[in-house]
């Protein structure tokens, strides 16, 4: 695990090491900003998981949609290629694509491009205090990371569950609690013969 425990003040603190958090960290470091990416779990990628049976088989998040222009541009910059997924599903944004080699290959390329010291695994955030000077992220272990800005790159239901100081406006908090996570209830399986 890469640990940024020595980093206590950064330009941008990012909570969540899924594709959104990794992408935000990649863009911020590319712009010359110091970053602390804080991931509660022991691995990066969020809902992106590769199958142990077939490493390029995606068990978690896998699709890139036609209108995901920024994600497709970043994939191209990193040398990740996409291939069209057969068919268009009813009720979805249209044509979908998959990463050649699986979505976990894209996660690996994103994380390899980050400075070693900016990623902290096993670092759950319990709350945040916002002020005109920036934000303090309160770590579950009692530590504090200060930043000029913070990005909450996690599902809205998890973000709203953090302790917020000042408290989030009631309408925003309610909307976050009710916002479904795309395909959160879906399950995949992989069989090897």
């Amino acid at each position: 695990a890469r640990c940024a425990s020595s980093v206590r003040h950064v330009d941008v603190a990012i909570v969540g090491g899924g594709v959104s958090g990794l992408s935000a960290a990649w863009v911020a470091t590319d712009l010359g900003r110091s970053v602390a990416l804080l991931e509660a779990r022991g691995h990066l990628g969020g809902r992106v998981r590769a199958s142990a049976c077939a490493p390029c088989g995606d068990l978690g998040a896998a699709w890139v949609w036609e209108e995901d222009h920024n994600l497709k541009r970043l994939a191209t910059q990193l040398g990740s290629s996409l291939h069209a997924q057969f068919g268009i599903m009813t009720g979805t944004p249209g044509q979908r694509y998959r990463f050649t080699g699986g979505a976990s290959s894209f996660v690996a390329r994103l994380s390899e491009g980050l400075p070693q010291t900016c990623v902290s695994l096993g670092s759950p955030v319990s709350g945040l205090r916002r002020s005109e000077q920036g934000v303090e992220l309160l770590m579950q272990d009692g530590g504090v990371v200060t930043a000029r800005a913070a990005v909450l790159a996690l599902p809205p239901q998890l973000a709203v569950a953090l302790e917020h100081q000042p408290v989030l406006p009631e309408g925003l908090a309610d909307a976050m609690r009710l916002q479904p996570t795309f395909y959160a209830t879906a399950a995949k399986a992989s069989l090897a013969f």
Side-chain angles (χ1 to χ4, degrees):
R2 291 177 280 168
C3 183
S5 58
S6 62
V7 176
R8 288 293 167 220
H9 180 76
V10 292
D11 293 321
V12 183
I14 300 166
V15 182
V19 171
S20 294
L22 285 165
S23 298
W26 200 88
V27 169
T29 57
D30 194 48
L31 291 172
R33 305 298 188 267
S34 60
V35 171
L37 189 147
L38 308 166
E39 169 54 49
R41 293 185 272 183
H43 67 274
L44 294 172
R47 295 189 303 147
V48 171
R49 301 296 284 176
S51 167
C53 300
C56 64
D58 293 311
L59 290 179
W63 295 327
V64 176
W65 302 100
E66 182 66 38
E67 66 273 359
D68 289 338
H69 304 294
N70 291 331
L71 184 58
K72 291 192 307 191
R73 187 177 322 113
L74 183 56
T76 300
Q77 278 183 276
L78 293 171
S80 292
S81 60
L82 296 165
H83 59 274
Q85 182 75 35
F86 181 76
I88 296 176
M89 295 170 36
T90 303
T92 63
Q95 179 64 54
R96 61 189 191 273
Y97 300 84
R98 291 188 99 134
F99 288 99
T100 303
S104 58
S105 68
F106 177 65
V107 167
R109 287 178 187 251
L110 267 174
S111 64
E112 288 165 2
L114 296 175
Q116 291 282 322
T117 57
C118 88
V119 177
S120 183
L121 300 176
S123 300
V125 173
S126 59
L128 56 148
R129 287 190 287 249
R130 300 178 311 280
S131 70
E132 289 183 20
Q133 291 74 38
V135 62
E136 291 181 323
L137 289 108
L138 312 172
M139 307 303 295
Q140 202 170 65
D141 67 4
V144 176
V145 174
T146 62
R148 291 174 47 201
V151 175
L152 298 181
L154 45 134
Q157 302 94 336
L158 296 178
V160 74
L162 298 173
E163 178 187 338
H164 291 267
Q165 298 173 26
V167 174
L168 293 174
E170 189 175 324
L172 174 60
D174 288 342
M176 290 171 73
R177 280 186 207 93
L178 296 173
Q179 178 64 45
T181 299
F182 187 67
Y183 272 89
T185 58
K188 293 182 183 180
S190 179
L191 301 172
F193 295 86

